[in-house]
Amino acid sequence: MSDSKAIQFQDMVCEEVRSRRGIGLKGAFVEVARAFGLTERRVRACWHHEVRSVTADEWDVVRRRRIDALKKRQAQIAHQIALLNIEDDWTASV
C-alpha cells in the first residue's frame, strides 16, 4: 500500500494506544495488539512510526476495529450524557 496508507494505519493504531495510556504504555500496547489482531511488536513499530508497508488485509482489519472502538466510546459517552440529563431533570423538579 502507499505511504499515506501506512501513515494512516499508524495513526489509527497510535490513537488507540493513546486512548489506553492510563494503564501504562506497555499495557496499552498489549491491549491494542489484542484488539486489532496485531503483534505487540507491530503496535510498538506504529507507535514509533517505523512501519513502511501495510497489507490490504491488515489495513482493513484495523480500520474496521477502530471504527468499532469509536462507536463503542460514542455509545458510552451518549449514556453518560443521558445520565447527566436525568440528573438535570431531577434537580429542576426539586
Side-chain angles (χ1 to χ4, degrees):
M1 291 194 121
S2 68
D3 287 344
S4 66
K5 288 291 188 190
I7 291 168
Q8 289 175 342
F9 175 83
Q10 291 176 118
D11 288 347
M12 287 188 289
V13 173
C14 288
E15 283 300 317
E16 203 59 37
V17 169
R18 281 187 203 95
S19 74
R20 299 164 192 251
R21 284 288 302 264
I23 61 171
L25 193 54
K26 180 159 176 50
F29 288 162
V30 171
E31 281 194 6
V32 172
R34 190 172 297 128
F36 284 175
L38 302 170
T39 65
E40 286 179 56
R41 185 178 190 157
R42 186 72 164 160
V43 172
R44 195 175 307 108
C46 288
W47 183 255
H48 294 291
H49 299 285
E50 298 170 345
V51 173
R52 298 292 169 241
S53 65
V54 178
T55 66
D57 289 339
E58 196 176 37
W59 165 261
D60 193 46
V61 168
V62 167
R63 184 187 61 79
R64 280 194 329 254
R65 292 184 183 178
R66 175 76 173 142
I67 289 169
D68 291 344
L70 290 172
K71 285 181 178 179
K72 183 178 177 183
R73 280 191 211 114
Q74 183 180 32
Q76 291 168 339
I77 291 168
H79 176 73
Q80 291 172 350
I81 290 170
L83 291 175
L84 291 172
N85 286 333
I86 290 169
E87 290 177 11
D88 282 348
D89 292 343
W90 180 79
T91 57
S93 66
V94 174

